[in-house]
Amino acid sequence: MRIRVGIVGISGFGGGEALRLVAGHPSFELVYAAGEGSAGSRLADRFPGLPARLAGLVIEKWDPEALPQLDLLFASLPTGASAEALARVPRAVKIVDIGGDHRAAEGWTYGLADIWPERIAGQSRIANPGCFPAAALTALAPLLADGLIEPGNIVIDAKTGISGAGRGGADSRFGYAESNETLVPYGLLQHVHMPEMARAIERLSGGSAAGLVFTPHLVPMTRGLLATIYGRGRATTAQCLEAARRFYAGRAFIRVTDRPPQTKWATGSNLAFVSYAADPAREVVIALGVVDNLGKGAAGQAVQNANLICGLPDTAGLEGMPVWP
Amino acid sequence: MRIRVGIVGISGFGGGEALRLVAGHPSFELVYAAGEGSAGSRLADRFPGLPARLAGLVIEKWDPEALPQLDLLFASLPTGASAEALARVPRAVKIVDIGGDHRAAEGWTYGLADIWPERIAGQSRIANPGCFPAAALTALAPLLADGLIEPGNIVIDAKTGISGAGRGGADSRFGYAESNETLVPYGLLQHVHMPEMARAIERLSGGSAAGLVFTPHLVPMTRGLLATIYGRGRATTAQCLEAARRFYAGRAFIRVTDRPPQTKWATGSNLAFVSYAADPAREVVIALGVVDNLGKGAAGQAVQNANLICGLPDTAGLEGMPVWP
Amino acid sequence: MRIRVGIVGISGFGGGEALRLVAGHPSFELVYAAGEGSAGSRLADRFPGLPARLAGLVIEKWDPEALPQLDLLFASLPTGASAEALARVPRAVKIVDIGGDHRAAEGWTYGLADIWPERIAGQSRIANPGCFPAAALTALAPLLADGLIEPGNIVIDAKTGISGAGRGGADSRFGYAESNETLVPYGLLQHVHMPEMARAIERLSGGSAAGLVFTPHLVPMTRGLLATIYGRGRATTAQCLEAARRFYAGRAFIRVTDRPPQTKWATGSNLAFVSYAADPAREVVIALGVVDNLGKGAAGQAVQNANLICGLPDTAGLEGMPVWP
Amino acid sequence: MRIRVGIVGISGFGGGEALRLVAGHPSFELVYAAGEGSAGSRLADRFPGLPARLAGLVIEKWDPEALPQLDLLFASLPTGASAEALARVPRAVKIVDIGGDHRAAEGWTYGLADIWPERIAGQSRIANPGCFPAAALTALAPLLADGLIEPGNIVIDAKTGISGAGRGGADSRFGYAESNETLVPYGLLQHVHMPEMARAIERLSGGSAAGLVFTPHLVPMTRGLLATIYGRGRATTAQCLEAARRFYAGRAFIRVTDRPPQTKWATGSNLAFVSYAADPAREVVIALGVVDNLGKGAAGQAVQNANLICGLPDTAGLEGMPVWP
């Protein structure tokens, strides 16, 4: 059975990675690609490595009421740009929204696919997690579920590659010469991803996340995201690792490692790596979560969610090894 | 039918990329991995993103007389290290040598898989081309075959990402801080790849390549290789493009483009991009060839060669889109 | 004696580097800084490392008829933007135009400061060479002066860091994620710097540069520029090196090296490195020229030109060692 | 008055940066350079941009008992390699040890030159702070001095460019292809710089630093270091900024900024940037400290310390603006 797939936001980095994964998926057939700036151009002109069988596709102007027959739509639009338009997509079309508009919206299921897969299967409207929450919550979930750290006293120091800032490009701050060879902290005590993480921490722990602190940084690399998380608790390193191995038993995409993971371990894949170091004497627990911000942090997790809502194995089309070096 | 595959030189970059491609190949089953420095360690410790089904593999000490039952061996050893050892591998085991020892050796077929596939099919000892020749010859072949440039008067100015220097690492010149933010020409008028290219140019053109000039450069990026080639002739740009489209008609991995290709178009794939610009008034023809030095320039072409000698479609396991950005 | 200096185009990369050099110059006093987008903001907000003594400066809107009392103006404006405006600057203000509008203009002296310093001293309108010509002509001049290569048969394969594309930023092609990890050839057989180089080659050699071929490439690094040049002639490597050592005897900024120079040797300095390799049998001469595209390729050479027209030692304010690594 | 200066460890990154600063210093004259691997080679061969006046220097084998007449020695040796040898240097030679062996040693003064300059002036044996402590303590000192955060409850999440790992190079982990495009946390809960920071925190605050947590990360850039620090307290952002402006009043190298600093602001300079964000409701104070790890984090601070012990203005030779972009 072929599933007819569309992607809107094809010119952005998230949309481009969705294209790569859909093109390699055993059950998906790309029949529709839409963008704003790129509408009217051939998809192959934008993606010189496009498979020959997709060479006939033209990038359409995005119009939710003029879709071809679709089973599934990936939406990767800038935050603020998708809520109104996606409401007009026919109910029969399943949607995974990679963008940020529906993560707290009624009628949408928050798609942490390795943590709550059973809530996702059977749905038709999935809000994909943000890239920072994907890394941080994957590392935190086992600790919160087992009560190994206090939910109200968590510091997340996160670092992302620059593709996480989107393809906007119009902003010279993200130009190569200015972004290269520099490390940029931003959004101190006010980043847009903080409420999303607080909600999930509360759901995972049953407690309040009131004290949550989150600091994002831009790192001079294209892809990759690491959350270094500081929690309070008396657990040992071994207890944390064991809790994570138990929590993620049977999950294909989560790797619990003894040594600290680096971001390149995940590049180009849907994998997430988590590790832990704890010192009961200082009552500190460090949790590390690594993802590819465009993989598990965006399009990879989106395809995993799509697999779940289409009744496929969640690993379909996502089994490629990371690209190294 | 499963083909039992081994890889020797698993710790190097070429071996690592071969692992990624073999792991994702529909007909290959990895049953043996060998290395020098890494012998005895678990393959999963070296490759944290290894698929779970391969987690039991241990890196063996390389011994050509103590191989398990294999159908196919990929060898990715430093130049000079493979000739003697590969001679001791049983004849029943097909070999693709990614290293440099057999490119002019008797009993071995030079594996330019998009140019001479019919010579490769049916063989059991394939010498994979070097990364520079892979890019340069792919761009040159249509011009030489049609007599559009003089074979005796070719300048190849080539630029490679630093993974092309191998994983040696012991040399601080290739350390990050020294290799970053610098562009390094080397081996002027004397690079080891020059005879390999001259031989192929002569075979393609029937003329002498005596005047060949080749200058390699190290570029501060991990992967990617571009050959910018200057030839003499009166062809127009359109004639060159047309010659290439005809020469590569039906070849899955060669893309002839009107605009100059950049290296990232090929990253993580077995694609090669070629383009041309010519000025009959100045009698100059510029040919551009782009590959991923670890893809078409090493492991990708090796898998393509393996497909050919195993009687598989040459695209098997190589259909993934490039990773972008 | 203090020389009162202004900089227009302060927000661009060339203007910023001029600021750094002027701020460290023993005889220059910055009294005026102008820009377009940045007018009205404090100079210290744009340049957080600005010396405290300059903290009072505000970026002015550029108006050539409302200048404060100035002895010297550095102009670093986009090509096309400076010709009309600079004509309105009072004659008493000496100008070094880092931009491209006056390199073939009447009344302006082309400022190759290491090759024709005696033509520059005493002038008041200097057109600074482009970054590609600065590197290529520095390497070529000794060969052309001595007739060691044919002027009509030169191929310049040049590679620049991305700051050479300017700070425009509005173009997503120069965004970090798209420019990183890729090598981009562009402007084949048609780059804007070609006539500038052809003119200088003809002046240096007395012959025609009709066959000149120039191919620029963007390299994923911030600064640095290498020209790899292919000429025809029967000179030996030793003859080329000797010619260059003689040609540049007593010049402070030109280093003739036996081994191939890399771009990082020049970073942050006004140095240029040249080297040669030749093979009389193949009648080929390779010349290498390395500069920092913002140093000798822009602001460094501009300050050197300013020194010459102000009657200072040409090394004033330019003696800092390159930044390494 | 010329001060006769030697540098031992000239081949490392810290030694190389010391060379650049000494070469540009108005009162220092380099008369001695020593190294291990590089002994016997000309200094100009290692540093192609060396000023012509130093071209006669040859790198000596390091022998503390065979020094020429020196006033001042900079030592930049691997940790563990300097204690015994530096003890044999004549007392008349002032020493600034950039390496790690004397930071807690009797008879040596810990050289936080912007915080305790009065303790440094007049000494002859200075232990230069490590790069992580330089950034972290500069940001923390005003808060600790004013009691705005608890000394016993500090988390330092620090990120450094890869030159911070030294030039060793023998380790392929720091090779370009492996270090590029990845972010690497290491040394969790056990890094060697932790005791050095704890001692200084206790000295600055008068309290115990028992709960100190420090996590270093390697960032794919050559230079630059950021410490993102999480403390507990009820101060406001404005109070923290005000405390820092007061604490560092009159200090030339410390910039207190309203917006978060990025590492490139400091590249190539001895500047440090600090900023703060606080939320009394969550009782959290975030402090940011940015340095160039080879500048204020190593050779820049070393020269500043040398200025102090030689009775020079602490800014001598250190006034150059950062290199941007």
Side-chain angles (χ1 to χ4, degrees):
Chain A
M1 183 201 66
R2 302 298 289 172
I3 294 168
R4 295 169 58 87
V5 173
I7 301 172
V8 54
I10 195 80
S11 307
F13 295 140
E17 185 71 350
L19 168 60
R20 184 174 76 91
L21 296 175
V22 167
H25 194 286
S27 301
F28 290 169
E29 180 182 5
L30 185 71
V31 298
Y32 174 75
E36 281 297 324
S38 53
S41 56
R42 294 171 59 241
L43 189 60
D45 288 340
R46 288 275 163 158
F47 295 92
L50 196 72
R53 69 174 196 281
L54 298 177
L57 283 177
V58 170
I59 302 178
E60 311 283 344
K61 188 157 171 43
W62 161 231
D63 178 352
E65 278 148 2
L67 298 177
Q69 197 192 327
L70 289 182
D71 301 305
L72 175 64
L73 179 69
F74 293 99
S76 185
L77 296 163
T79 297
S82 68
E84 187 271 340
L86 293 185
R88 291 188 283 133
V89 172
R91 291 302 303 179
V93 181
K94 294 182 175 73
I95 304 178
V96 178
D97 186 3
I98 302 176
D101 285 358
H102 295 102
R103 291 176 194 151
E106 203 169 342
W108 290 74
T109 300
Y110 186 62
L112 270 177
D114 305 290
I115 295 178
W116 295 311
E118 71 290 342
R119 300 187 193 181
I120 294 162
Q123 303 298 322
S124 80
R125 291 289 179 276
I126 304 295
N128 215 51
C131 52
F132 288 118
L137 297 170
T138 303
L140 280 170
L143 305 183
L144 293 168
D146 279 16
L148 298 181
I149 60 169
E150 304 168 12
N153 201 343
I154 293 172
V155 170
I156 301 174
D157 189 282
K159 302 93 174 168
T160 182
I162 296 174
S163 64
R167 200 183 176 186
D171 192 327
S172 82
R173 284 179 305 156
F174 305 131
Y176 182 88
E178 284 173 78
S179 292
N180 188 34
E181 289 287 298
T182 196
L183 178 67
V184 184
Y186 67 100
L188 272 67
L189 295 175
Q190 56 185 340
H191 192 275
V192 65
H193 281 168
M194 196 134 65
E196 179 184 344
M197 288 191 281
R199 277 193 307 274
I201 288 170
E202 296 183 349
R203 199 143 84 165
L204 285 159
S205 68
S208 161
L212 181 64
V213 172
F214 169 62
T215 312
H217 302 74
L218 278 177
V219 176
M221 58 187 189
T222 300
R223 291 175 176 233
L225 194 154
L226 166 69
T228 311
I229 306 170
Y230 302 91
R232 297 205 72 78
R234 298 186 185 212
T236 63
T237 301
Q239 286 172 323
C240 296
L241 288 166
E242 202 276 323
R245 292 199 167 104
R246 196 168 6 90
F247 190 88
Y248 290 118
R251 299 287 185 235
F253 297 115
I254 313 297
R255 303 279 167 101
V256 183
T257 62
D258 290 338
R259 58 183 165 137
Q262 53 176 272
T263 62
K264 205 167 189 160
W265 291 2
T267 299
S269 81
N270 188 44
L271 295 174
F273 293 86
V274 299
S275 190
Y276 303 90
D279 180 356
R282 277 178 277 180
E283 296 186 26
V284 63
V285 174
I286 302 180
L288 300 171
V290 154
V291 301
D292 180 337
N293 60 300
L294 297 178
K296 172 63 70 189
Q301 178 132 271
V303 168
Q304 187 180 355
N305 277 316
N307 287 337
L308 288 169
I309 64 177
C310 292
L312 301 168
D314 74 340
T315 55
L318 295 171
E319 298 180 287
M321 275 183 67
V323 175
W324 179 91
Chain B
M1 183 202 67
R2 302 297 290 171
I3 294 168
R4 295 169 56 87
V5 174
I7 300 172
V8 54
I10 195 79
S11 307
F13 295 140
E17 185 71 350
L19 168 60
R20 183 174 77 91
L21 295 174
V22 168
H25 194 286
S27 301
F28 290 170
E29 180 183 5
L30 186 71
V31 298
Y32 174 74
E36 280 299 323
S38 53
S41 56
R42 295 171 58 241
L43 189 60
D45 287 340
R46 288 274 162 160
F47 295 93
L50 196 72
R53 69 173 195 281
L54 299 176
L57 284 176
V58 170
I59 302 178
E60 310 285 343
K61 186 153 171 46
W62 163 229
D63 178 350
E65 278 148 3
L67 299 176
Q69 197 191 329
L70 288 181
D71 302 305
L72 175 65
L73 179 69
F74 292 99
S76 185
L77 296 163
T79 297
S82 68
E84 187 271 340
L86 293 185
R88 290 188 282 132
V89 172
R91 290 304 300 180
V93 180
K94 296 182 175 74
I95 304 178
V96 179
D97 186 3
I98 302 175
D101 285 358
H102 293 103
R103 290 175 193 152
E106 204 170 340
W108 290 74
T109 301
Y110 186 62
L112 270 176
D114 306 289
I115 296 177
W116 295 312
E118 70 290 343
R119 299 188 193 181
I120 296 162
Q123 303 299 323
S124 79
R125 292 289 181 276
I126 305 294
N128 216 51
C131 53
F132 289 118
L137 297 170
T138 304
L140 281 170
L143 306 182
L144 294 168
D146 279 17
L148 297 181
I149 60 168
E150 303 168 12
N153 202 342
I154 294 172
V155 170
I156 301 173
D157 189 282
K159 301 94 174 168
T160 183
I162 296 173
S163 64
R167 199 184 178 185
D171 191 328
S172 82
R173 284 180 306 155
F174 305 131
Y176 182 89
E178 283 174 79
S179 290
N180 187 36
E181 288 288 298
T182 196
L183 178 69
V184 184
Y186 67 99
L188 272 68
L189 295 173
Q190 57 185 341
H191 192 276
V192 66
H193 281 168
M194 196 133 67
E196 179 183 344
M197 288 191 279
R199 278 193 306 272
I201 288 169
E202 297 184 348
R203 200 144 84 165
L204 286 158
S205 69
S208 161
L212 181 64
V213 172
F214 170 62
T215 313
H217 302 73
L218 279 178
V219 177
M221 59 188 188
T222 299
R223 290 174 175 233
L225 193 155
L226 166 69
T228 311
I229 307 170
Y230 302 91
R232 297 205 72 77
R234 300 189 183 207
T236 62
T237 301
Q239 286 171 324
C240 297
L241 289 166
E242 202 277 325
R245 291 197 168 107
R246 195 168 7 90
F247 190 88
Y248 290 119
R251 299 288 184 235
F253 296 115
I254 314 297
R255 303 280 167 100
V256 183
T257 63
D258 290 339
R259 57 181 165 139
Q262 53 175 271
T263 61
K264 205 168 189 159
W265 290 3
T267 300
S269 81
N270 188 44
L271 295 174
F273 293 86
V274 299
S275 190
Y276 303 91
D279 180 356
R282 278 178 276 180
E283 296 187 23
V284 62
V285 174
I286 302 179
L288 301 172
V290 154
V291 300
D292 181 335
N293 60 299
L294 296 178
K296 172 63 73 189
Q301 178 132 268
V303 168
Q304 187 181 357
N305 278 316
N307 287 337
L308 288 168
I309 64 178
C310 292
L312 301 168
D314 74 340
T315 53
L318 295 171
E319 297 181 286
M321 275 183 68
V323 174
W324 182 90
Chain C
M1 185 200 68
R2 302 298 290 172
I3 294 169
R4 295 168 58 87
V5 173
I7 301 172
V8 55
I10 195 78
S11 308
F13 295 140
E17 185 71 350
L19 168 60
R20 183 174 77 91
L21 296 174
V22 167
H25 195 287
S27 301
F28 290 170
E29 180 182 5
L30 185 71
V31 298
Y32 173 75
E36 281 298 323
S38 52
S41 56
R42 294 171 58 243
L43 189 60
D45 286 341
R46 288 276 163 157
F47 295 92
L50 196 72
R53 69 173 195 282
L54 298 177
L57 284 177
V58 169
I59 303 178
E60 310 285 343
K61 186 154 171 45
W62 162 230
D63 178 352
E65 279 148 2
L67 298 176
Q69 198 191 329
L70 289 182
D71 301 306
L72 175 65
L73 179 69
F74 293 99
S76 185
L77 296 162
T79 297
S82 67
E84 187 271 338
L86 292 185
R88 291 189 282 133
V89 171
R91 291 302 301 180
V93 182
K94 295 182 175 73
I95 303 178
V96 179
D97 186 3
I98 302 176
D101 284 359
H102 294 103
R103 290 175 194 152
E106 203 170 340
W108 291 74
T109 301
Y110 186 61
L112 270 176
D114 306 289
I115 295 178
W116 295 311
E118 70 291 342
R119 298 187 193 182
I120 295 162
Q123 302 299 323
S124 79
R125 292 289 180 276
I126 305 295
N128 215 52
C131 53
F132 289 119
L137 297 170
T138 303
L140 281 170
L143 305 182
L144 294 168
D146 279 17
L148 298 180
I149 60 169
E150 303 167 14
N153 202 342
I154 293 172
V155 171
I156 301 172
D157 190 283
K159 302 92 174 169
T160 183
I162 296 173
S163 64
R167 200 184 177 187
D171 192 328
S172 82
R173 285 179 305 155
F174 305 131
Y176 182 88
E178 284 174 78
S179 292
N180 187 35
E181 289 288 297
T182 197
L183 178 68
V184 184
Y186 67 99
L188 272 68
L189 295 173
Q190 57 185 344
H191 191 275
V192 66
H193 281 169
M194 195 134 66
E196 179 184 344
M197 288 191 278
R199 277 193 308 274
I201 288 170
E202 297 184 346
R203 200 144 83 164
L204 285 159
S205 69
S208 161
L212 180 65
V213 172
F214 169 62
T215 313
H217 302 74
L218 279 177
V219 176
M221 58 188 188
T222 299
R223 291 174 176 234
L225 193 155
L226 166 69
T228 311
I229 306 170
Y230 302 90
R232 296 205 73 77
R234 299 188 184 208
T236 63
T237 301
Q239 286 171 323
C240 297
L241 289 166
E242 201 277 324
R245 292 199 168 104
R246 196 169 5 92
F247 190 89
Y248 290 118
R251 299 286 185 236
F253 297 115
I254 313 296
R255 304 279 167 100
V256 182
T257 62
D258 290 339
R259 56 183 166 138
Q262 54 176 272
T263 62
K264 204 168 190 160
W265 290 2
T267 299
S269 81
N270 188 43
L271 295 174
F273 294 86
V274 298
S275 190
Y276 303 90
D279 180 355
R282 278 179 277 179
E283 295 187 25
V284 63
V285 175
I286 302 180
L288 301 171
V290 154
V291 300
D292 180 336
N293 60 300
L294 296 178
K296 172 63 72 190
Q301 177 132 268
V303 168
Q304 187 181 357
N305 277 316
N307 287 339
L308 288 169
I309 63 178
C310 292
L312 301 169
D314 75 339
T315 54
L318 294 170
E319 297 180 286
M321 276 182 67
V323 173
W324 180 90
Chain D
M1 184 200 68
R2 303 297 291 171
I3 294 168
R4 294 170 58 88
V5 173
I7 301 173
V8 54
I10 195 79
S11 308
F13 295 140
E17 185 72 350
L19 169 60
R20 183 174 77 91
L21 296 174
V22 167
H25 194 285
S27 301
F28 290 170
E29 181 183 4
L30 186 71
V31 298
Y32 173 76
E36 280 298 323
S38 53
S41 56
R42 294 171 59 243
L43 190 59
D45 287 341
R46 288 276 162 157
F47 295 93
L50 196 71
R53 70 172 194 282
L54 298 177
L57 284 177
V58 170
I59 302 177
E60 311 285 344
K61 187 152 172 47
W62 162 230
D63 178 352
E65 278 149 4
L67 298 177
Q69 197 192 327
L70 289 181
D71 302 305
L72 176 65
L73 179 69
F74 293 99
S76 184
L77 296 163
T79 297
S82 68
E84 186 271 339
L86 293 185
R88 290 188 283 133
V89 172
R91 291 303 300 179
V93 182
K94 295 182 174 74
I95 304 177
V96 179
D97 186 3
I98 302 176
D101 284 358
H102 294 104
R103 291 176 192 151
E106 203 170 342
W108 291 74
T109 300
Y110 186 62
L112 270 176
D114 305 289
I115 295 178
W116 295 311
E118 71 290 344
R119 300 188 192 179
I120 295 162
Q123 302 299 323
S124 79
R125 292 289 180 274
I126 304 294
N128 216 50
C131 53
F132 289 118
L137 296 170
T138 303
L140 280 169
L143 306 183
L144 293 168
D146 279 17
L148 298 181
I149 60 169
E150 303 167 14
N153 202 341
I154 293 172
V155 171
I156 301 174
D157 189 283
K159 301 93 173 168
T160 182
I162 296 173
S163 64
R167 199 183 179 188
D171 191 329
S172 82
R173 284 180 305 155
F174 305 132
Y176 182 89
E178 284 172 78
S179 290
N180 188 36
E181 288 288 298
T182 197
L183 178 68
V184 184
Y186 67 100
L188 272 68
L189 294 174
Q190 57 185 340
H191 192 277
V192 65
H193 281 169
M194 196 134 66
E196 179 184 342
M197 287 192 279
R199 278 194 305 274
I201 288 169
E202 297 184 347
R203 199 145 83 164
L204 285 159
S205 69
S208 160
L212 181 65
V213 172
F214 170 62
T215 313
H217 302 74
L218 278 177
V219 176
M221 59 187 188
T222 300
R223 291 174 176 233
L225 193 155
L226 166 69
T228 311
I229 306 169
Y230 302 90
R232 299 205 71 78
R234 298 185 185 212
T236 63
T237 301
Q239 286 171 325
C240 296
L241 289 167
E242 202 276 324
R245 293 200 167 104
R246 195 167 8 89
F247 190 88
Y248 289 119
R251 299 287 185 236
F253 296 115
I254 313 297
R255 304 281 166 101
V256 183
T257 62
D258 290 338
R259 56 183 166 137
Q262 52 176 272
T263 61
K264 205 169 188 159
W265 291 1
T267 299
S269 81
N270 188 43
L271 295 174
F273 293 86
V274 298
S275 189
Y276 302 91
D279 180 357
R282 278 179 276 180
E283 294 186 26
V284 62
V285 174
I286 302 180
L288 301 172
V290 154
V291 301
D292 181 336
N293 59 301
L294 296 178
K296 172 64 70 189
Q301 178 132 269
V303 169
Q304 187 180 355
N305 277 316
N307 286 339
L308 287 169
I309 63 179
C310 292
L312 300 169
D314 74 339
T315 55
L318 294 170
E319 297 181 287
M321 276 182 66
V323 175
W324 181 90

